[in-house]
Amino acid sequence: MVNLALMGAFIPTFFLVSVSPGLCMTMAMTVGMSQGMRRALWMMAGELLGVGLVATAAVCGVAALMLQFPAWFFYIKCAGALYLLYMAAQMWWSKGSFRLPQPGEARVLLPRKELFSQGFITAVSNPKGWAFHMALLPPFIDPSLAFWPQLLVLLFILLALEFSCLLMYAGSGRMMARFFLNPAKAQWLNRICAVLMAGLAVWMVLD
């Protein structure tokens, strides 16, 4: 049903992508600090639904393109690799751009529907999420095996990794917020993420 060798590379690759600071993880941390873990779960549910829809749409679109124009797959991989290298350069020179906003002084609980919709809208409107999924997911689809069973397994693993990272960010919000608010440490973390992102770009082209 799935290529175990590809799955062995898929899990660490997407764990690194999920655990890297970004829009959704920043929101999880902020909601965890200001709303608490239980209410943050509603935001996470909306975010996971959005990620699942984005991943499915991105993979199906690229898969359909590959069926009609197989030669384009190499160019798509190169475009994805260039995007990742661009992101790596931005991370390297960001100088603490991943700083987190300070949580509000007063603890005001938002409605659960609003938290859910915030998570969903954040996931589906994030252009970086679309680019990552279009660039990284298709190489893990084995063309010699059935497409949909592979996609379902990939989505299950992807959402499980995303959920675990969201929990980690939301649960350790205050501690991680203090870490990120230090510009020197933020720059150090950005450069580690930049090296990992550049490594993913090289792997994508050579695969």
Side-chain angles (χ1 to χ4, degrees):
M1 185 170 64
V2 295
N3 186 317
L4 295 180
L6 287 178
M7 291 301 101
F10 176 82
I11 294 174
T13 297
F14 271 83
F15 176 77
L16 289 175
V17 171
S18 295
V19 79
S20 299
L23 189 61
C24 292
M25 295 303 156
T26 301
M27 175 173 282
M29 184 180 295
T30 304
V31 173
M33 287 188 292
S34 62
Q35 302 291 306
M37 275 296 297
R38 289 188 177 182
R39 301 188 74 82
L41 291 173
W42 289 94
M43 184 281 301
M44 295 179 200
E47 195 269 342
L48 292 175
L49 176 60
V51 167
L53 290 176
V54 168
T56 302
V59 173
C60 290
V62 174
L65 184 65
M66 287 171 55
L67 290 175
Q68 295 184 10
F69 308 99
W72 285 17
F73 183 51
F74 175 74
Y75 299 108
I76 292 174
K77 291 204 303 182
C78 289
L82 288 175
Y83 175 79
L84 292 180
L85 287 175
Y86 169 77
M87 290 296 300
Q90 293 296 307
M91 289 179 179
W92 184 270
W93 298 109
S94 61
K95 298 181 180 180
S97 64
F98 285 135
R99 295 181 186 181
L100 293 174
Q102 291 286 354
E105 293 290 335
R107 183 182 175 90
V108 179
L109 296 180
L110 298 175
R112 294 170 181 173
K113 289 183 179 179
E114 184 173 345
L115 291 171
F116 181 90
S117 63
Q118 282 183 357
F120 179 80
I121 293 172
T122 299
V124 299
S125 63
N126 184 5
K128 294 180 182 179
W130 285 92
F132 274 124
H133 288 112
M134 291 188 70
L136 296 181
L137 271 175
F140 292 101
I141 299 291
D142 189 337
S144 65
L145 300 175
F147 173 76
W148 287 107
Q150 290 185 86
L151 179 58
L152 291 176
V153 172
L154 290 177
L155 283 177
F156 177 80
I157 297 174
L158 172 63
L159 294 179
L161 293 173
E162 188 81 2
F163 181 59
S164 65
C165 293
L166 287 169
L167 283 176
M168 180 180 68
Y169 270 77
S172 58
R174 292 186 182 278
M175 180 183 67
M176 296 189 73
R178 288 195 295 268
F179 181 87
F180 286 125
L181 285 171
N182 184 316
K185 292 181 178 179
Q187 185 176 2
W188 173 77
L189 180 65
N190 285 337
R191 291 191 171 182
I192 290 179
C193 291
V195 172
L196 295 174
M197 202 71 66
L200 289 175
V202 173
W203 171 83
M204 186 182 304
V205 174
L206 297 179
D207 179 56

